[in-house]
């Protein structure tokens, strides 16, 4: 069964058809820059362009950097505040003329990792963090998602975690991987103290550089890179549409 997966990020919007039985992308993914400001109508237009590129007429799963309940976006992380309270599912469905299911972006990536990636067959408590423009989070207990966690907004020494240790912060402050790893370690230590997880899975852009920073992270919990790397959000968005 194939579903079009769309992953909306603060800097780029990516999509591809997904075989949700295997987790494989059925075509090369297409990435389009997120419109400046990330306003809802502008983002919906880009999603419609992605659907048109793939000549898509079926179900679409869309992952957004927001808390999502019943198709309504209740927060807006690294996108425009006009998303708050918007019936984004109906808006995107209207733009694409396709049935649309929405999910929080980190929750989507987590679904993919737990089914096809680094969390496959992992019991206990698993925390998935997507580290890019911000820090997204998903938590699973024996494979079951607890939706819409926002661990990137935990306060770490007077700042939100994502304002201290996102990949965007690393680039903006020109931090070495060792220095950034120390900052990120503080985030993991706080989550470890609160949830006592069995595994951390780290996705987003930094997952491709795991060997550069992992040695600078100090936690008792095992820390692994996402198995699907940057494709996890696309795959998980498509899985959400099936669910």
């Amino acid at each position: 069964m194939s579903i079009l997966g769309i992953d909306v990020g603060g800097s780029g919007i990516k999509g591809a058809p997904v075989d949700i039985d295997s987790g494989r992308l059925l075509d090369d993914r297409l990435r389009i820059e997120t419109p400046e400001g990330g306003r809802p109508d502008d983002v919906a237009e880009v999603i419609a362009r992605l659907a048109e590129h793939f000549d898509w007429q079926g179900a679409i799963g869309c992952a957004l950097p927001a808390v999502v309940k019943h198709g309504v976006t209740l927060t807006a992380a690294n996108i425009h505040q006009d998303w708050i309270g918007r019936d984004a599912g109906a808006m995107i469905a209207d733009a694409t003329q396709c049935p649309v299911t929405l999910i929080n972006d980190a929750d989507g990536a987590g679904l993919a990792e737990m089914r096809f990636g680094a969390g496959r067959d992992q019991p206990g408590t698993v925390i998935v963090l997507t580290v890019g423009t911000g820090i997204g989070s998903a938590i699973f207990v024996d494979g079951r998602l607890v939706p819409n966690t926002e661990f990137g907004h935990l306060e770490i020494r007077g700042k939100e975690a994502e304002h201290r240790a996102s990949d965007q912060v690393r680039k903006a402050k020109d931090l070495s991987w060792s220095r950034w790893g120390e900052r990120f370690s503080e985030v993991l230590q706080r989550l470890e103290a609160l949830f006592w997880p069995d595994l951390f899975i780290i996705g987003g852009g930094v997952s491709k550089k795991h060997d550069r920073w992992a040695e600078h992270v100090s936690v008792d919990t095992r820390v692994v890179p996402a198995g699907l790397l940057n494709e996890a959000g696309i795959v998980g968005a498509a899985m959400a549409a099936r669910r």
Side-chain angles (χ1 to χ4, degrees):
M1 181 179 182
S2 61
I3 292 175
L4 181 62
I6 305 287
D7 184 14
V8 177
S11 60
I13 301 173
K14 303 167 289 188
V18 178
D19 178 349
I20 58 173
D21 294 314
S22 67
R24 292 186 305 108
L25 303 192
L26 297 173
D27 204 336
D28 292 336
R29 73 173 191 172
L30 177 63
R31 182 185 186 276
I32 300 175
E33 293 289 317
T34 302
E36 186 175 355
R39 294 179 181 275
D41 291 341
D42 295 338
V43 170
E45 181 182 349
V46 171
I47 293 171
R49 286 168 57 193
L50 287 169
E52 182 179 4
H53 171 81
F54 293 109
D55 193 26
W56 197 259
Q57 298 177 350
I60 296 175
C62 183
L64 290 166
V67 169
V68 179
K69 297 188 76 172
H70 311 297
V72 177
T73 43
L74 301 178
T75 64
N78 303 305
I79 51 176
H80 200 275
Q81 296 298 296
D82 284 355
W83 285 91
I84 298 175
R86 191 75 178 260
D87 189 346
M91 177 188 66
I92 297 170
D94 184 61
T96 60
Q97 295 298 294
C98 294
V100 173
T101 301
L102 301 186
I103 190 170
N104 170 269
D105 57 351
D107 285 349
L111 287 177
E113 284 297 323
M114 295 301 290
R115 174 74 184 276
F116 301 112
R120 187 171 184 174
D121 299 325
Q122 172 68 48
T125 300
V126 177
I127 294 177
V128 180
L129 298 177
T130 56
V131 185
T133 305
I135 298 178
S137 62
I139 187 167
F140 294 82
V141 180
D142 291 332
R144 295 180 64 86
L145 172 67
V146 180
N148 290 316
T149 57
E150 292 286 290
F151 298 155
H153 301 302
L154 281 172
E155 183 180 310
I156 306 291
R157 292 195 292 115
K159 286 187 177 180
E160 290 188 1
E162 66 178 27
H163 294 162
R164 181 171 293 281
S166 69
D167 196 34
Q168 178 173 272
V169 167
R170 179 189 66 81
K171 294 173 181 175
K173 292 186 175 292
D174 195 26
L175 297 174
S176 66
W177 283 109
S178 61
R179 181 69 184 113
W180 179 83
E182 292 170 2
R183 286 184 172 220
F184 188 53
S185 188
E186 290 184 283
V187 178
L188 298 184
Q189 288 167 3
R190 177 67 60 83
L191 292 171
E192 188 176 60
L194 291 172
F195 297 101
W196 294 87
D198 297 284
L199 179 67
F200 284 116
I201 299 173
I202 311 303
V206 302
S207 61
K208 294 180 288 186
K209 302 291 186 179
H210 182 79
D211 60 330
R212 305 282 296 277
W213 55 263
E215 65 181 299
H216 305 290
V217 167
S218 177
V219 288
D220 293 329
T221 306
R222 188 161 60 100
V223 181
V224 300
L228 302 182
L229 301 177
N230 275 336
E231 293 182 358
I234 295 173
V235 174
M239 291 174 62
R242 182 180 197 177
R243 282 158 62 97

